[in-house]
Amino acid sequence: MKPSICAILGAAIGTVHGGAIHRKRAINDAAILNYALTLEHLEATFYQQGLQNYSHEAFLNAGFPGPFYANLQEVASDEQTHVEFLTSALNAAGFPAVAQCSYSFPATDPKSFISLANVLEGVGVSAYLGAAASIANETYLTAAGSILTVEARHNAYLRAALGQVPYAQPFDSPLNFNEVYTVASPFITSCPSSNPQLPVKAFPSLTMVPSGNVMNGSTATLVAGTGGFNTSNLSAAFITVTGPVYASLKSLGNSQFIVTIPGGVEGQSYVVLTNSMSGVSDDNIVAGPAIVEVLM
């Protein structure tokens, strides 16, 4: 069994949720490219560190096949190329590009490293998908789409290596800028003060217990990283491209809630706490997203 997503994680504008485009603030393509570059820096550094920490032999001893390490090196090369491409695009347009930050990744062995890699690639797919509607320049949009398809291939390959269905759902789930930043920010310890400021914020954290895989119809506990909110009108919203799938909550106190995993949600999925039943937006997210793997 693969290490749990929630255990690994411990503990961004336009987005498409159910076909509705919510633009909370004006944002230009330079900010979007720097947002994408921030994520690519994170991924590139993650793979660089992992390949330094774990040898080919270590992956073999962990049960991965012979060619896997070489393929992983290609994935790492792709992510570094994405960094170089986005940096060049920003420089060519006369915009400052964000530099690499400092990071902390909670992988402790080859299996937990690949489990986290799988999650990060899935988040990358959701990030590019969610940002697409906000990109004005058609050339940038095509380039972002090209990166998105490669991230999806990475994700499918890693899912298969972990014994998961490579294509667990007919539609990938988009995340907006702030939702992605909420997931990514725990890995970022500090950034250069000279980096351009991104128009993103992190929502309070949300985790699911038991950690790991769940199934439709099973129950789990959602734990929010902050309290002090009204629990009487909260719902769990599982984000999908065709619209949020809502689930009722039973409060346990101390920012903990029982939820039943609804149907229509599969694979790497995202759930937020919201005080609205008419759509998920930055205005009504109370906590999250939490990442959960829903078995088919």
Side-chain angles (χ1 to χ4, degrees):
M1 179 181 295
K2 78 179 185 68
S4 69
I5 290 172
C6 292
I8 291 170
L9 291 180
I13 37 201
T15 182
V16 181
H17 284 165
I21 299 175
H22 303 284
R23 288 189 174 88
K24 295 307 298 176
R25 61 183 69 83
I27 183 170
N28 59 28
D29 284 349
I32 295 173
L33 291 179
N34 266 318
Y35 158 78
L37 180 56
T38 298
L39 300 178
E40 295 294 349
H41 272 308
L42 187 152
E43 287 188 294
T45 304
F46 171 75
Y47 283 110
Q48 179 187 45
Q49 292 181 3
L51 291 173
Q52 290 174 347
N53 292 337
Y54 312 115
S55 65
H56 185 194
E57 182 179 5
F59 278 95
L60 291 175
N61 292 338
F64 294 98
F68 185 77
Y69 190 78
N71 290 338
L72 202 59
Q73 291 175 312
E74 289 297 324
V75 172
S77 177
D78 288 346
E79 302 299 356
Q80 182 58 38
T81 301
H82 294 165
V83 168
E84 295 166 0
F85 171 79
L86 291 169
T87 301
S88 296
L90 283 158
N91 291 338
F95 297 110
V98 294
Q100 175 181 313
C101 298
S102 297
Y103 311 95
S104 177
F105 302 109
T108 57
D109 54 45
K111 284 191 175 180
S112 63
F113 170 75
I114 296 304
S115 292
L116 182 51
N118 178 38
V119 171
L120 293 178
E121 294 287 357
V123 171
V125 171
S126 295
Y128 278 101
L129 185 59
S134 295
I135 301 175
N137 185 295
E138 292 182 358
T139 300
Y140 294 162
L141 179 58
T142 299
S146 181
I147 295 175
L148 166 59
T149 58
V150 173
E151 300 284 354
R153 290 186 177 94
H154 293 169
N155 185 221
Y157 180 70
L158 295 174
R159 288 182 63 87
L162 292 168
Q164 299 174 342
V165 178
Y167 34 85
Q169 52 198 1
F171 302 99
D172 284 313
S173 300
L175 291 177
N176 73 20
F177 292 80
N178 291 333
E179 290 164 349
V180 171
Y181 187 69
T182 300
V183 174
S185 60
F187 303 115
I188 303 174
T189 57
S190 65
C191 292
S193 59
S194 58
N195 273 3
Q197 187 69 35
L198 297 179
V200 295
K201 68 176 183 179
F203 297 114
S205 65
L206 187 67
T207 56
M208 181 171 283
V209 181
S211 57
N213 301 331
V214 296
M215 299 182 68
N216 300 124
S218 64
T219 60
T221 301
L222 292 172
V223 182
T226 186
F229 46 77
N230 185 352
T231 64
S232 62
N233 62 342
L234 287 182
S235 297
F238 290 78
I239 296 169
T240 75
V241 74
T242 53
V245 179
Y246 293 98
S248 60
L249 296 169
K250 177 182 178 181
S251 177
L252 299 176
N254 297 319
S255 303
Q256 299 185 43
F257 308 87
I258 296 291
V259 64
T260 299
I261 310 301
V265 181
E266 297 172 332
Q268 181 167 318
S269 302
Y270 311 96
V271 57
V272 298
L273 297 186
T274 175
N275 55 23
S276 172
M277 293 287 287
S278 60
V280 174
S281 73
D282 290 348
D283 292 332
N284 57 50
I285 292 177
V286 174
I291 302 177
V292 57
E293 180 71 26
V294 183
L295 299 179
M296 299 177 66

